[in-house]
Amino acid sequence: QEAAMQALFVICKQALVGDDERSKDESWEAREAAAKALGYCGLNYEAAAIGVLSHALAGDETHENKDEVAVVRKAAANSLGSFMGKGSVVALSQALVGDASHKTKDGDWEVREAAAEALLEYISDHPWEKERAMGVGALIQALEGDEVAKVRKAAAEGLGGSLNGVADISHVIGALSQALVGSENHDMDKEWKVREAAAESLGRIGQHIGAREDEDNPTNAASAASALRALRQALVGDGEHQ
């Protein structure tokens, strides 16, 4: 079985990104299939698979040489969500929001949406990983700034699954509340589906805090109250009914 797994990894790596002897497969369908298959590599090949998938999704250290076909990058993002390693969240965050100027984020919105969904999977499945803070930060940035509503919606949904092991969730509450009802400096999100996703995530947060053993934590108590205020404001103040 180990030999079969090794053979699978070598074949998929060569097809997806190539190696010293051969270039990657010219067929984007073959590269897409390789990216999907790498998501099933065993624990012994996790770090290597993350490296290959990250290269296909986000490129090298200069953010160049990523796969030129969006469908392949999307498949790589989906597979990265199943791994626990730090490299996964780094590559997914890079694809979703890029650097500080957001110039290096993926130019295809479906890839960014896939990255947001994969970050939700990563955060939900591996809540105690310290790198989840990077993923949560990327989701907040995407919710507040991505130009495509479907990406913002995926980010809002992802933030609702970012709670386990997080001592202070006030920054998550703030981003979701802003999307739902706005703030002094920002309008609420113009798309009702994004606001709906934000409301559902706020509801999950309220339930989560109520079930925690440390529910008397002042910070989280204040966060729960803030979430409730946003939901009440949306209930009585959102004039767009669908």
Side-chain angles (χ1 to χ4, degrees):
Q1 185 176 7
E2 180 65 19
M5 189 63 66
Q6 181 180 12
L8 173 65
F9 171 77
V10 171
I11 292 171
C12 290
K13 175 182 182 295
Q14 197 284 319
L16 185 56
V17 299
D19 54 30
D20 294 337
E21 298 180 358
R22 298 176 60 187
S23 300
K24 67 183 181 183
D25 201 294
E26 294 182 356
S27 168
W28 68 263
E29 290 97 337
R31 299 198 305 277
E32 179 190 22
K36 291 179 177 178
L38 282 171
Y40 296 98
C41 282
L43 184 61
N44 290 341
Y45 293 91
E46 177 177 304
I50 288 174
V52 174
L53 291 165
S54 296
H55 192 167
L57 172 61
D60 53 25
E61 294 181 356
T62 62
H63 310 306
E64 297 179 352
N65 301 316
K66 64 184 178 183
D67 200 282
E68 64 274 15
V69 178
V71 172
V72 178
R73 300 197 303 276
K74 181 178 178 180
N78 289 333
S79 290
L80 281 169
S82 63
F83 292 120
M84 293 190 294
K86 178 180 179 180
S88 289
V89 72
V90 171
L92 290 169
S93 297
Q94 173 65 38
L96 180 57
V97 298
D99 56 18
S101 66
H102 303 296
K103 291 182 179 179
T104 58
K105 71 180 182 182
D106 200 285
D108 187 281
W109 71 264
E110 290 187 346
V111 177
R112 298 199 304 277
E113 180 185 37
E117 293 171 347
L119 283 172
L120 165 59
E121 184 176 352
Y122 177 93
I123 292 167
S124 298
D125 288 349
H126 317 297
W128 300 106
E129 288 290 311
K130 63 180 181 180
E131 289 82 11
R132 72 175 177 273
M134 179 184 294
V136 171
L139 289 171
I140 289 176
Q141 290 182 54
L143 174 59
E144 294 178 339
D146 199 280
E147 62 273 19
V148 177
K150 288 186 177 181
V151 179
R152 299 197 304 276
K153 178 177 180 289
E157 292 169 346
L159 288 171
S162 65
L163 306 173
N164 291 336
V166 180
D168 179 6
I169 58 173
S170 59
H171 58 306
V172 176
I173 295 278
L176 291 168
S177 297
Q178 179 173 290
L180 180 59
V181 296
S183 63
E184 292 183 3
N185 300 319
H186 297 87
D187 294 332
M188 66 183 180
D189 198 287
K190 61 183 179 181
E191 296 290 340
W192 70 268
K193 289 186 177 181
V194 179
R195 300 198 302 275
E196 179 184 48
E200 291 174 348
S201 287
L202 285 169
R204 287 196 295 273
I205 288 174
Q207 293 176 345
H208 172 83
I209 293 176
R212 288 174 67 120
E213 293 180 359
D214 61 343
E215 60 185 338
D216 59 342
N217 182 309
T219 300
N220 285 328
S223 296
S226 177
L228 182 58
R229 285 195 299 271
L231 290 168
R232 286 175 173 170
Q233 183 176 343
L235 181 62
V236 300
D238 191 337
E240 183 176 345
H241 300 285
Q242 300 292 337

